[in-house]
């Protein structure tokens, strides 16, 4: 069986990744219409991916009866209204992160989808990365012992760009953290469990727009483990390593380029069979390094196919409304901490 889809916001990540790698590539999906406020963009995307219909308003898209699910990739400030309208039209909703800009709007989305009996999922596709799933399984199996530290980093070069909605706080709700750091913190919570408290530092150090281009968040998880999320819009792409690391009492795992939009990357594990006594000289003789080899998984295709499975089998999406609302709450605490200089309890 296939689920028939419509896309709200056909440019950006939708045209670059989710449509070609997910909705158009999967046999579980049938993309029947795309919507964009730019008619030129809607026409171009429909032509590029052989989509039968294109429209310029949400109302037109939701009026197409055969559409069963919508993918919302519009600016963040529009997510809530569009998702609620989709739910009222009886469509299942996959919405890009963050789900909304306020907890009230996020809760309204959850409530509308529950009232209409449709599924709601937020697009944290990095959870589906094969390396991240391998690491999650290792942690759950106790291979790293007691996890004590985690770090997730995502950086890029994003200069002042006229008309870029991610650089407008009213449309995006924030900058480097809202766009990239939220992915990182969601990933760390998947691996290490819920955050208990956090302290954030933000600044616009390099560029001229009114959102942060630099963000660092210090974390304490409920388990006692500690962590860091660092997100920057002012690091050259050629220098970005997009690091993920988890350390525990039996070893550590380090990765580069698994955090991000691609299915690849490189991961190394350093896990000992038996922890020895204290070595004052810290002699690091011998090597326990092992490259983690996995079969790559396209995260965008895995994300949409997971949502289709949830629709057809009446399952709960891994990043359902509750998870999305929790992530939004954390994001708001991050910005509050950066604004006030205070540590925030979750």
């Amino acid at each position: 069986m296939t689920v028939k889809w419509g896309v709200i916001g056909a440019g950006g990540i939708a045209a670059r990744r989710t449509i070609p790698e997910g909705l158009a590539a999967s046999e579980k999906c049938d993309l029947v219409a795309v919507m964009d406020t730019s008619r030129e963009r809607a026409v171009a995307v429909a032509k590029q991916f052989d989509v039968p219909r294109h429209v310029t308003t949400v109302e037109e898209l939701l009026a197409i009866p055969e559409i069963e699910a919508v993918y919302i990739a519009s600016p963040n400030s529009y997510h809530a209204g569009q998702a609620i309208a989709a739910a009222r039209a009886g469509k299942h909703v996959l919405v890009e992160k963050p789900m909304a800009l306020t907890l009230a709007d996020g809760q309204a989305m959850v409530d509308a989808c529950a009232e209409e009996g449709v599924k709601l999922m937020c697009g944290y596709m990095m959870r589906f990365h094969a390396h991240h799933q391998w690491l999650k399984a290792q942690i759950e199996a106790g291979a790293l012992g007691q996890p004590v530290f985690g770090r997730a980093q995502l950086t890029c070069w994003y200069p002042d760009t006229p008309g870029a909605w991610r650089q407008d706080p009213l449309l995006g709700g924030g900058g480097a953290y809202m766009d990239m750091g939220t992915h990182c913190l969601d990933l760390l919570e998947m691996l290490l469990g819920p955050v208990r408290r956090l302290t954030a530092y933000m600044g616009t150090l390099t560029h001229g727009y009114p959102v942060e281009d630099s963000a660092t968040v210090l974390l304490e998880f409920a388990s006692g483990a500690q962590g860091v999320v660092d997100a920057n819009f002012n690091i050259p792409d050629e220098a970005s390593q997009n690091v993920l690391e988890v350390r525990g009492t039996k070893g550590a795992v380090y990765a580069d380029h698994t955090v991000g939009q691609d299915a690849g990357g490189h991961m190394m594990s350093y896990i000992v069979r038996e922890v020895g006594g204290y070595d004052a000289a810290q002699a690091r003789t011998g090597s326990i390094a092992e490259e983690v080899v996995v079969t790559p998984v396209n995260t965008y295709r895995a994300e949409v196919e997971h949502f289709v499975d949830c629709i057809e089998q009446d399952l709960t999406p891994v990043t359902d409304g509750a998870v999305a609302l929790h992530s939004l709450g954390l994001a708001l605490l991050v910005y509050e901490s950066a604004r006030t200089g205070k540590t925030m309890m979750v």
Side-chain angles (χ1 to χ4, degrees):
M1 294 180 63
T2 61
V3 167
K4 298 185 182 301
W5 289 78
V7 169
I8 297 175
I13 194 66
R16 189 170 65 252
R17 293 284 190 171
T18 311
I19 292 176
E21 298 176 23
L23 297 174
S26 174
E27 294 180 355
K28 295 185 176 185
C29 302
D30 181 12
L31 182 55
V32 300
V34 295
M35 170 269 160
D36 200 277
T37 54
S38 165
R39 182 175 296 277
E40 288 185 0
R41 185 157 51 234
V43 170
V45 171
K47 181 178 180 180
Q48 181 180 358
F49 300 110
D50 197 26
V51 182
R53 298 186 64 175
H54 60 271
V55 296
T56 56
T57 68
V58 173
E59 292 77 14
E60 289 176 282
L61 185 101
L62 297 180
I64 300 173
E66 59 264 37
I67 290 178
E68 301 168 273
V70 295
Y71 167 62
I72 299 176
S74 55
N76 300 338
S77 61
Y78 299 127
H79 288 179
Q82 293 170 347
I84 292 169
R88 299 303 182 202
K91 319 295 187 184
H92 302 283
V93 177
L94 171 59
V95 60
E96 274 299 340
K97 58 83 210 149
M99 68 185 308
L101 296 187
T102 69
L103 289 175
D105 280 349
Q107 187 63 58
M109 294 165 65
V110 172
D111 293 343
C113 289
E115 291 165 6
E116 301 299 336
V118 296
K119 302 291 183 184
L120 172 62
M121 179 175 168
C122 200
Y124 292 101
M125 85 294 174
M126 293 181 203
R127 287 184 173 230
F128 296 94
H129 196 288
H131 278 115
H132 301 162
Q133 287 296 312
W134 179 91
L135 179 53
K136 180 175 185 289
Q138 294 300 304
I139 294 170
E140 291 175 348
L144 273 69
Q146 176 192 7
V148 298
F149 180 82
R151 178 193 178 200
Q153 172 208 53
L154 191 53
T155 65
C156 70
W157 183 258
Y158 192 34
D160 296 77
T161 306
W165 63 262
R166 287 179 177 84
Q167 297 173 6
D168 182 342
L170 297 179
L171 295 177
Y177 180 80
M178 190 65 86
D179 188 48
M180 302 187 301
T182 47
H183 272 300
C184 294
L185 186 45
D186 176 73
L187 189 55
L188 287 182
E189 283 205 310
M190 182 188 84
L191 297 171
L192 299 176
V195 169
R196 177 162 58 199
R197 60 178 175 170
L198 58 84
T199 303
Y201 304 89
M202 290 184 182
T204 309
L205 309 182
T206 306
H207 302 304
Y209 39 69
V211 296
E212 79 282 357
D213 60 22
S214 305
T216 302
V217 187
L218 307 181
L219 306 164
E220 182 183 66
F221 296 87
S223 67
Q226 299 167 7
V228 176
V229 164
D230 42 317
N232 291 76
F233 277 163
N234 49 6
I235 308 298
D237 293 326
E238 297 84 353
S240 296
Q241 295 302 302
N242 297 339
V243 171
L244 174 67
E245 58 186 78
V246 176
R247 306 177 210 155
T249 54
K250 291 184 178 180
V253 172
Y254 301 91
D256 60 81
H257 299 298
T258 65
V259 179
Q261 298 179 7
D262 292 322
H266 181 250
M267 179 175 280
M268 296 293 295
S269 72
Y270 301 80
I271 299 174
V272 299
R273 295 182 180 272
E274 184 176 348
V275 180
Y278 173 65
D279 180 1
Q282 297 184 357
R284 296 174 175 87
T285 58
S287 176
I288 57 171
E290 292 187 13
E291 184 175 359
V292 177
V293 179
V294 296
T295 301
V297 171
N298 185 285
T299 57
Y300 295 95
R301 180 166 180 168
E303 179 180 70
V304 298
E305 290 188 343
H306 170 71
F307 194 53
V308 168
D309 290 343
C310 290
I311 293 170
E312 294 186 338
Q313 302 172 38
D314 193 22
L315 303 174
T316 300
V318 67
T319 52
D320 66 353
V323 171
L325 201 58
H326 169 75
S327 179
L328 173 59
L330 286 179
L332 296 177
L333 288 177
V334 166
Y335 282 94
E336 181 70 6
S337 175
R339 185 184 68 81
T340 63
K342 296 180 180 179
T343 294
M344 309 302 293
M345 299 301 297
V346 177

